[in-house]
Structures are given as structure tokens and as C-alpha cells.
Amino acid sequence: MSLIRLTIKGISYSQTQSGAYALVLSEIEGTRTLPIIIGAFEAQSIAIALEKEIRPPRPLTHDLFKTFADTFLINVKQIIIHKLVDGVFFSSLICEKDGVEEVIDTRTSDAIALAVRFDAPIFTYENILDKAGIYLKIDEELLDNAEEEDEESLEVNFEQHSEVSDYATYSLEELHEQLNEAVINENYELAAKIRDEISKRS
């Protein structure tokens, strides 16, 4: 199976699930996004690592892991989101020491937090994007002018939220309509929940 490289599109606070955040990954050469619900600590850790100028007064757990790995000459080469079961993503760290590779099982949120610190690429498989990916809606006019526009013009606003209903009562056709609406409104947390409900019925 072919690997698809992903990048971090953004993190949004969940107003429907206390203490949860939506981490949105997007494929580098495409328009699909992969929303993943993560905890507050992991969201904070990822956000701090992305903001290079912010340094906590004491190292976070993921910072400690990076320092430990550097001390013993262990490098995280890449992370792979390799499995999706009942809405839960499973990932692996591909590590190397003295030319020997090891694969370590990890939570996806921890894997992303470490990938940012090691500047390691993030990958997933085509079949996972086919199953859980959401197509990003971008106006054709915006795409035509993308090369001339500043990167900020393509960034997604992750602050839009709406209430989550009990989707168990919706038909598949209604769920797909709701999914399209959530994507158009760039509400990726809601889109992830609807996507998971659709996956349960597949």
C-alpha cells in the first residue's frame, strides 16, 4: 500500500466535548484532510512545539523524550498512522539507532507531538485516507490564484463550531449531506464525528 505524506493543518478547541481538541492533518499533494480528536495535554504539546519561540519553563513529557533520544543517539525518522478501528487511529514511530530501525507502537497524538520535535515526516496509508479522509472545499478562484496569494489566505478557520446531534437516527444520505455541510463550514471536529458514524455503518 502506498504511503501519503501529511502535514498539520491546525488544531481547534472542541466546544462540544470538554477537554478535547480536533487535530486536522492534510495531505501535502491533495485536498483531503484527516481530523483526529485528541486530548488537551497532547494538543498543548503539539501547539507549543509548532510555536518555535515558545519554551515552557520546564520540559514537557515529549520534550523529555526528545532529549532522552538525542542523548542516546536515537532518531525518529518518521511516523505512520497505520490503522483505524472504530474511529481510533493507531500509529507507529520508525526509530533508528546505529543504522538499526525499530518500530514502536504509539498513540497518534503522541506520535504527532514527537514528529514536530524531531522534524519527522508524517504518513498514512491510502486506504485510511479513503476511509476517513474528508475533502477540503476550496473555491476554484482561490485555487487559480494560490501561487500569487500569501499562504495565510489558504489557511482554514478552525474556530467555527456547531452542536453535535445524535447521528444514530440519521439515514446514510442525511449523514453525507451533514458531512458536506460541516466541511463547507470548515467544522472539522463535527465532520470527524459524522465520518465516524458513517464508518460504523460501512
Side-chain angles (χ1 to χ4, degrees):
M1 290 183 289
S2 60
L3 285 171
I4 307 296
R5 186 164 179 178
L6 305 172
T7 187
I8 298 173
K9 191 72 176 174
I11 303 173
S12 67
Y13 178 68
S14 170
Q15 295 184 1
T16 61
Q17 187 174 342
S18 178
Y21 288 76
L23 168 66
V24 182
L25 306 175
S26 64
E27 59 179 336
I28 290 179
E29 297 182 358
T31 60
R32 288 174 294 184
T33 61
L34 197 63
I36 301 173
I37 305 303
I38 63 175
F41 172 77
E42 291 78 11
Q44 179 189 49
S45 181
I46 293 169
I48 287 175
L50 289 171
E51 295 291 337
K52 303 297 184 183
E53 297 180 2
I54 298 177
R55 295 185 65 85
R58 300 292 292 163
L60 301 176
T61 302
H62 298 111
D63 297 321
L64 175 61
F65 185 100
K66 174 68 163 62
T67 302
F68 180 90
D70 288 344
T71 301
F72 292 96
L73 304 178
I74 300 168
N75 182 43
V76 174
K77 295 179 61 178
Q78 62 186 24
I79 76 113
I80 300 176
I81 303 170
H82 61 83
K83 187 166 64 172
L84 173 62
V85 178
D86 295 331
V88 178
F89 293 90
F90 294 78
S91 296
S92 297
L93 297 177
I94 311 301
C95 303
E96 182 182 51
K97 178 177 170 60
D98 298 331
V100 178
E101 279 192 3
E102 297 287 348
V103 179
I104 301 174
D105 184 44
T106 177
R107 296 187 307 169
T108 298
S109 54
D110 290 327
I112 302 299
L114 292 172
V116 176
R117 285 165 170 81
F118 282 90
D119 197 24
I122 304 165
F123 294 96
T124 192
Y125 290 108
E126 180 71 38
N127 65 327
I128 291 179
L129 267 180
D130 284 342
K131 183 178 181 180
I134 296 172
Y135 281 92
L136 178 64
K137 305 286 186 179
I138 300 178
D139 292 338
E140 290 184 8
E141 182 179 344
L142 185 60
L143 282 174
D144 292 338
N145 298 326
E147 293 182 359
E148 302 174 7
E149 295 290 335
D150 186 85
E151 287 185 3
E152 291 180 0
S153 65
L154 288 175
E155 288 192 4
V156 176
N157 175 10
F158 294 110
E159 300 304 320
Q160 300 179 29
H161 300 278
S162 60
E163 291 188 21
V164 177
S165 304
D166 180 8
Y167 289 105
T169 60
Y170 284 65
S171 68
L172 271 176
E173 182 178 350
E174 289 172 327
L175 286 173
H176 283 289
E177 289 176 1
Q178 293 280 337
L179 178 60
N180 289 334
E181 184 178 344
V183 172
I184 290 171
N185 291 330
E186 297 170 356
N187 187 342
Y188 291 96
E189 178 208 352
L190 180 60
K193 293 178 185 298
I194 300 172
R195 175 206 64 202
D196 291 344
E197 178 63 32
I198 293 173
S199 297
K200 288 178 185 177
R201 305 188 192 186
S202 299

